[in-house]
Amino acid sequence: MEAPLQQLSDPLLDAHGVELWVKREDLLHPTISGNKWRKLKYNLQEATRQGHHTLLTFGGAYSNHIAATAAAGQEFGFDTIGVIRGEEHLPLNPTLQFAISCGMQLQYISREQYRQKDEPAFLQELSEQYSKPYIIPEGGTNNLAVQGCTEIIQDINQDYDYICCAAGTGGTAAGIIAGLKGEKQVLVFPALKGGDFLQKEIQELIYTYCGQEFSNGHLITDYHFGGYAKIKPELMAFMQAFQEQHHIPLEPIYTGKMLFGLFDLIRQGYFPKGSHIVAIHTGGLQGNAGFKQRLGVEV
Ligand SMILES: *Cc1c(COP(=O)(O)O)cnc(C)c1O
């Protein structure tokens, strides 16, 4: 499995004297995509070590993590349970159809119940209901996920000054920052509103992982486009132009917003001349089919 570095050529980059590479984590695995593979890797090892045969995890109906966990279960021989926020809608969307085709069993819970997804009592209840599965939190983020995400930076055989990634739970960003041990500048683009919360979350994840604090992570909070899974015409136009020019597929929830933001920062002169930038393509392309179906928008 490989995630090659792909250098982009673009007049905007030349005009500002910066160089940009995209690390194609989306190519790591055909169905266990990008950062979700990084996050699952050590969790799967730990589940095996503890003698579990079943994985249980949480997500929304379009969750990349649900799709990745279902695929990982099928590939590595675990039964999988997906606890899904909200009611069942038939026909199933492409994400949940895929999960089921991998053998995942789905349990729908109300949005109120879903808020208890990290509470020990609720987890205990689920654990008993499904004969003690290995439980992975929403988005796949835990300490072993952070460990896995430190490996994103291991095979970048290119000097760089900045590294950029999209963020949901912040687990991926935490792994990258922890892996860099204070070196380079890490720009983190949240896909949700409410960056302050994420800042704290990332710091805590890093501290839990390695007992250290680093100050080279920076949240860039201006490019969420109104919130999680919200889109605007200019985002879709950017993505379309980007895909045509660079032949790299994007999705609008994470990677599209991150690259839109990165290009906007370049345009504003944020990066000194001569800067080398690496943008992490965290994958998630499975979500595009559902996006298209739901909004009628071609991605
Ligand atoms: C899940 C996901 C993210 C967010 O990762 P976190 O570790 O939760 O911050 C970013 N990009 C893509 C494509 C994802 O699927």
Side-chain angles (χ1 to χ4, degrees):
M1 292 192 286
E2 260 192 90
L5 266 189
Q6 181 174 343
Q7 183 164 19
L8 303 193
S9 69
D10 193 300
L12 180 74
L13 304 175
D14 299 339
H16 290 269
V18 301
E19 294 191 59
L20 172 61
W21 289 261
V22 175
K23 180 136 195 285
R24 299 290 307 272
E25 296 274 306
D26 57 311
L27 300 177
L28 264 183
H29 189 283
T31 50
I32 313 173
S33 182
N35 63 343
K36 301 306 186 284
W37 166 246
R38 301 287 187 183
K39 290 170 163 202
L40 281 168
K41 176 180 166 187
Y42 290 111
N43 277 294
L44 297 175
Q45 288 181 12
E46 182 63 12
T48 302
R49 199 187 64 76
Q50 292 179 11
H52 291 280
H53 301 291
T54 304
L55 310 173
L56 180 146
T57 195
F58 301 86
Y62 295 90
S63 163
N64 293 331
H65 168 65
I66 287 287
T69 304
Q74 186 177 44
E75 181 161 334
F76 297 100
F78 294 95
D79 292 337
T80 51
I81 319 278
V83 180
I84 308 298
R85 182 185 61 229
E87 286 165 24
E88 182 179 38
H89 292 286
L90 294 173
L92 291 179
N93 73 43
T95 299
L96 296 181
Q97 250 167 42
F98 172 77
I100 283 195
S101 77
C102 294
M104 183 176 256
Q105 183 183 338
L106 303 180
Q107 179 179 342
Y108 297 87
I109 63 175
S110 69
R111 282 163 192 274
E112 294 77 62
Q113 262 185 315
Y114 194 84
R115 281 190 213 109
Q116 302 172 37
K117 66 188 174 347
D118 298 316
E119 311 237 338
F122 183 56
L123 295 177
Q124 184 61 33
E125 222 175 275
L126 285 170
S127 177
E128 279 160 23
Q129 183 186 344
Y130 290 109
S131 48
K132 307 210 183 322
Y134 182 82
I135 297 180
I136 303 173
E138 179 183 54
T141 292
N142 59 15
N143 199 41
L144 291 172
V146 173
Q147 182 186 346
C149 287
T150 64
E151 297 179 358
I152 292 174
I153 55 153
Q154 275 178 2
D155 50 351
I156 302 180
N157 49 4
Q158 174 66 50
D159 273 340
Y160 59 99
D161 310 290
Y162 297 89
I163 191 160
C164 305
C165 71
T169 64
T172 304
I176 289 171
I177 295 168
L180 287 167
K181 299 189 171 69
E183 291 186 20
K184 324 283 187 197
Q185 300 301 316
V186 184
L187 307 188
V188 180
F189 294 75
L192 294 83
K193 277 192 214 172
D196 296 340
F197 168 77
L198 195 61
Q199 180 91 32
K200 217 172 121 231
E201 197 70 18
I202 292 172
Q203 272 168 359
E204 279 176 17
L205 286 166
I206 294 171
Y207 195 80
T208 304
Y209 172 65
C210 63
Q212 285 182 272
E213 287 178 34
F214 299 109
S215 55
N216 58 325
H218 310 284
L219 281 192
I220 309 287
T221 54
D222 302 332
Y223 300 103
H224 56 66
F225 286 89
Y228 188 71
K230 299 267 167 54
I231 55 165
K232 298 238 163 83
E234 65 258 43
L235 173 65
M236 303 315 279
F238 168 82
M239 283 175 52
Q240 205 161 34
F242 182 93
Q243 294 175 145
E244 266 165 35
Q245 189 171 350
H246 304 295
H247 308 287
I248 299 176
L250 302 176
E251 46 69 51
I253 299 181
Y254 296 104
T255 53
K257 290 181 182 179
M258 183 267 290
L259 281 161
F260 181 103
L262 175 54
F263 272 65
D264 200 45
L265 290 180
I266 293 170
R267 200 170 293 116
Q268 292 172 23
Y270 180 95
F271 301 98
K273 266 200 170 39
S275 295
H276 287 190
I277 308 162
V278 172
I280 306 298
H281 192 316
T282 37
L285 299 166
Q286 72 82 29
N288 280 347
F291 212 85
K292 185 176 163 193
Q293 195 186 65
R294 190 166 30 144
L295 299 178
V297 180
E298 194 69 53
V299 177

